[in-house]
Amino acid sequence: MALHQNLISGEWTGGDAVPNINPSDTNEVVGEYARGSAQDMKDAIAAAKAAFPAWSRSGILERHAILKKTADEILARKDELGALLSREEGKTLPEGTGEVIRAAQIFDFFAGETLRLTGEVVPSARPGIGVEITRDPLGVIGIITPWNFPIAIPAWKIAPALAYGNTIVFKPAELVPGSAWAIVDILHRAGLPKGVLNLVMGKGSVVGQVMLESPDLSGITFTGSTGTGKRVALASVEHNRKYQLEMGGKNPFVVLDDADLGVAVEAAANSGFFATGQRCTASSRIIVTEGIHDKFVAALTERLSKINVGHAMEKETHVGPVVDAGQLKQDTDYIEIGKSEGAKLAFGGERVEKATPGFYLQPTLFTEANNQMRISREEIFGPVAAVIRVKDYEEALSVANDTNFGLSSGIATTSLKYATHFKRNAEAGMVMVNLPTAGVDFHVPFGGRKGSSFGSREQGKYANEFFTTVKTAYTLP
């Protein structure tokens, strides 16, 4: 089996081989991928630093052509790349292919952004002096991505970084190197000059630590756990480095008495359980007013009973496996915690045996939970959700906002009054009305508040706030 190597200064370079295991069938090795060393990361940072002066001054048509070519190839290979993604991460084939299409859309959008770079010309307070306000590339960007969206999240960090003239060192999650390697390979063949994009796969404690300690990174954009995010922040303060964090969520989905029951159930099921609940925007707190509570729980339980958990590549599968043994143990540990806290296990909670050995878990629903239980406070990151009964809208809003996180928040209601009030008063970066909390567009801002995010928003034109720095120039003719 061929070794997929790291890319450093335009050259593919070896490393210790690590098998990429399929969570739907742990007997299958998806591929062998290099595990980089600390020296590999040091070399990658040096290469990116050396490449920055030329790339930061490159022409916009050159950047546009490379990003557009990348978008076109990703889209043309959507079925192949979708299958790779599903095999290594465990989300269903339609989910994997959909994520690949989104990555192509992101690269296409930022190809266009290279042609839309703008500045301002404003009058000075002093007569005869001209003032120009422009945005310069930030510098060498460190990119650290998680395993749950192995092509979309790298895309929404890499594409704007390149579009705005930065160079990159990229460390993907060790669990899912295949999708990351594929898009780096595509970009490399699309014509990126050597050193502009460098890929170092490996352990966060080794190659990631070099990134944190390097004084040559101008910025780090990170998506992952809250604990690691704090380490990124502390290390960045040490080096006076710009940093952007996307971390956890404990997203509420409110269901009011006036909600359309079918809409509410489908949105809750999608939010909490599809993609195996492994989305930072997933809703694991379902807050339901008492008038509709029993009908909603009965309908949602019925909906969950029709979800088929299975191999990610099989057509009849609705929900694939959990990503690995460690995540499965975390999920099942929280299920036991929920039971011990007094919540009622209304559905699921058991391992599922399939024809192939994998990390299969039933969708799990607790009822009679309260907002002080650990299952209501802590991010589980699996197909586990808890229903919290409340009296009315006012209590629902209060419970929804009573969390250390603030990424996404949703409500099911037919009341324009409550929908409008919730959009204004939900303490979250993104608010959904009659829609799942998970599922966002590629061309608009993504990000949250409180413990979920720090720094400027990702995606869309708002990405320039992180990947550029503002320059004000005065001229006396």
Side-chain angles (χ1 to χ4, degrees):
M1 187 174 287
L3 174 64
H4 296 79
Q5 297 177 303
N6 290 316
L7 182 68
I8 301 174
S9 193
E11 302 293 333
W12 296 106
T13 180
D16 297 333
V18 178
N20 186 5
I21 303 298
N22 184 345
S24 293
D25 181 357
T26 55
N27 291 326
E28 181 190 1
V29 176
V30 178
E32 299 276 356
Y33 291 84
R35 175 178 282 168
S37 65
Q39 188 59 51
D40 288 333
M41 181 55 78
K42 291 176 183 176
D43 292 344
I45 293 170
K49 184 178 180 181
F52 177 72
W55 180 250
S56 65
R57 294 170 176 80
S58 59
I60 59 174
L61 286 180
E62 179 185 1
R63 296 184 212 169
H64 174 272
I66 291 169
L67 294 178
K68 186 67 171 69
K69 189 174 181 180
T70 298
D72 291 345
E73 181 172 339
I74 292 173
L75 190 60
R77 294 172 58 192
K78 66 181 187 299
D79 295 332
E80 171 203 345
L81 295 175
L84 170 63
L85 193 158
S86 294
R87 287 169 63 214
E88 72 170 352
E89 197 272 347
K91 62 182 61 175
T92 65
L93 185 56
E95 289 171 335
T97 305
E99 183 179 332
V100 170
I101 292 170
R102 179 175 174 178
Q105 292 169 331
I106 291 166
F107 275 103
D108 186 64
F109 176 86
F110 282 105
E113 283 296 276
T114 64
L115 307 180
R116 292 189 287 264
L117 300 176
T118 60
E120 297 177 74
V121 176
V122 299
S124 171
R126 293 168 289 172
I129 293 176
V131 181
E132 299 174 20
I133 303 168
T134 55
R135 287 185 174 270
D136 283 355
L138 186 61
V140 179
I141 304 294
I143 293 177
I144 303 174
T145 59
W147 51 258
N148 62 324
F149 283 89
I151 196 166
I153 292 179
W156 84 46
K157 295 178 186 291
I158 291 171
L162 294 175
Y164 298 123
N166 301 280
T167 56
I168 297 168
V169 288
F170 171 35
K171 194 212 91 63
E174 197 174 16
L175 271 178
V176 288
S179 298
W181 189 94
I183 61 169
V184 170
D185 174 58
I186 292 169
L187 279 158
H188 177 59
R189 289 185 291 99
L192 276 180
K194 70 175 186 178
V196 170
L197 172 62
N198 303 272
L199 170 69
V200 183
M201 300 173 286
K203 286 185 170 294
S205 58
V206 178
V207 296
Q209 188 62 33
V210 174
M211 296 172 74
L212 298 190
E213 294 172 355
S214 175
D216 292 325
L217 295 187
S218 300
I220 291 183
T221 175
F222 166 84
T223 299
S225 70
T226 300
T228 304
K230 289 179 179 178
R231 291 184 56 215
V232 172
L234 288 171
S236 296
V237 169
E238 176 77 17
H239 294 290
N240 200 27
R241 173 197 301 140
K242 200 171 183 181
Y243 61 97
Q244 179 184 57
L245 309 177
E246 291 294 345
M247 298 174 289
K250 197 65 182 174
N251 308 294
F253 184 73
V254 171
V255 180
L256 298 186
D257 288 351
D258 62 32
D260 180 301
L261 185 61
V263 168
V265 166
E266 199 56 38
N270 185 303
S271 296
F273 305 101
F274 283 79
T276 326
Q278 296 174 155
R279 299 181 284 194
C280 55
T281 51
S283 179
S284 55
R285 291 188 301 142
I286 307 172
I287 302 163
V288 187
T289 50
E290 55 190 4
I292 199 174
H293 178 276
D294 293 351
K295 289 189 293 183
F296 173 82
V297 168
L300 180 57
T301 303
E302 174 67 18
R303 177 68 179 89
L304 297 183
S305 71
K306 296 177 181 178
I307 290 178
N308 182 43
V309 177
H311 195 295
M313 302 298 288
E314 294 177 354
K315 289 184 178 179
E316 62 270 22
T317 295
H318 302 130
V319 170
V322 172
V323 71
D324 72 345
Q327 186 60 50
L328 179 62
K329 183 179 186 305
Q330 179 169 307
D331 295 345
T332 54
D333 284 351
Y334 270 108
I335 291 169
E336 293 306 311
I337 289 168
K339 293 176 184 178
S340 69
E341 289 181 314
K344 176 185 175 184
L345 183 60
F347 185 86
E350 300 293 331
R351 292 282 305 273
V352 178
E353 295 297 325
K354 306 299 290 187
T356 53
F359 308 113
Y360 300 106
L361 179 66
Q362 287 179 313
T364 302
L365 183 69
F366 283 100
T367 57
E368 306 308 323
N370 65 60
N371 205 46
Q372 301 312 310
M373 293 178 176
R374 287 183 62 191
I375 59 169
S376 302
R377 307 300 299 180
E378 300 170 11
E379 186 175 41
I380 300 170
F381 220 66
V384 182
V387 176
I388 300 170
R389 187 197 302 256
V390 294
K391 180 176 61 176
D392 52 22
Y393 169 75
E394 286 72 24
E395 185 181 359
L397 177 64
S398 176
V399 171
N401 287 336
D402 181 15
T403 174
N404 293 328
F405 298 103
L407 184 56
S408 186
S409 189
I411 189 170
T413 181
T414 55
S415 165
L416 180 60
K417 170 187 171 182
Y418 289 135
T420 302
H421 189 273
F422 190 81
K423 286 189 289 185
R424 175 65 182 85
N425 291 280
E427 295 172 359
M430 298 175 290
V431 181
M432 314 294 186
V433 178
N434 295 321
L435 290 165
T437 56
V440 295
D441 291 343
F442 65 88
H443 65 302
V444 296
F446 178 95
R449 296 162 62 171
K450 297 191 275 191
S452 290
S453 303
F454 181 87
S456 50
R457 292 291 188 256
E458 299 196 86
Q459 298 201 131
K461 66 181 181 180
Y462 285 79
N464 74 354
E465 294 179 8
F466 179 77
F467 292 103
T468 63
T469 183
V470 174
K471 176 184 286 180
T472 306
Y474 297 86
T475 303
L476 177 63

